[in-house]
Amino acid sequence: MATLKGSCQCGAIQFQIEGAPKWIANCHCLDCRRATGAAFSTYVGVEMANVKFATGTPSIYSSSKGVKRSFCADCGSPIAYQGERWPTEIHFFVGLFERAEDLVPQEQVYEAEKLPWLHIVVEGDVD
Ligand SMILES: [Zn+2]
Ligand SMILES: [Zn+2]
């Protein structure tokens, strides 16, 4: 995978990532649900060193101690999650990417908080 490109809905924030993501995961925790308004969140975890914001700078909201959630101040799109537990990483929302169809989640996290009506079938998953 070469360069990944993404943007918020209005285009005020545009970024690119060199190289492949470290991981891609669906998070089912209540915090992410509230932060996005969506039933679950798919994150693309990358090394901060590989990220370049080509246009704009995301605004930051500290949703809990040691956690920064960024968003576009113009259109409100959630952009990324940064936590003290992963000091070198930034976790982007998959829906921002130009080729989100190529970014297939490999795992589910906080499954205990998953909404009971949600049943996830991951492409290529055999169990
Ligand atoms: Zn925007
Ligand atoms: Zn979460």
Side-chain angles (χ1 to χ4, degrees), residues 8-13 72 74-77:
C8 64
Q9 190 185 25
C10 77
I13 301 207
C72 172
D74 290 344
C75 70
S77 294

Side-chain angles (χ1 to χ4, degrees), residues 4 11 24 34 36 46 51 59 65-66 68 71 82 107 111 115 120:
L4 295 171
I24 304 170
R34 293 274 195 269
T36 62
V46 301
V51 178
S59 297
K65 197 173 175 296
K68 292 191 272 188
F71 59 97
Q82 285 169 267
E107 57 181 327
E111 270 195 288
L115 292 172
I120 293 185

Side-chain angles (χ1 to χ4, degrees), residues 15-18 46-54 90 92:
F15 58 89
Q16 53 191 57
I17 292 155
E18 293 302 329
V46 301
E47 284 294 334
M48 203 98 70
N50 297 338
V51 178
K52 206 183 336 170
F53 281 93
I90 179 165
F92 285 95

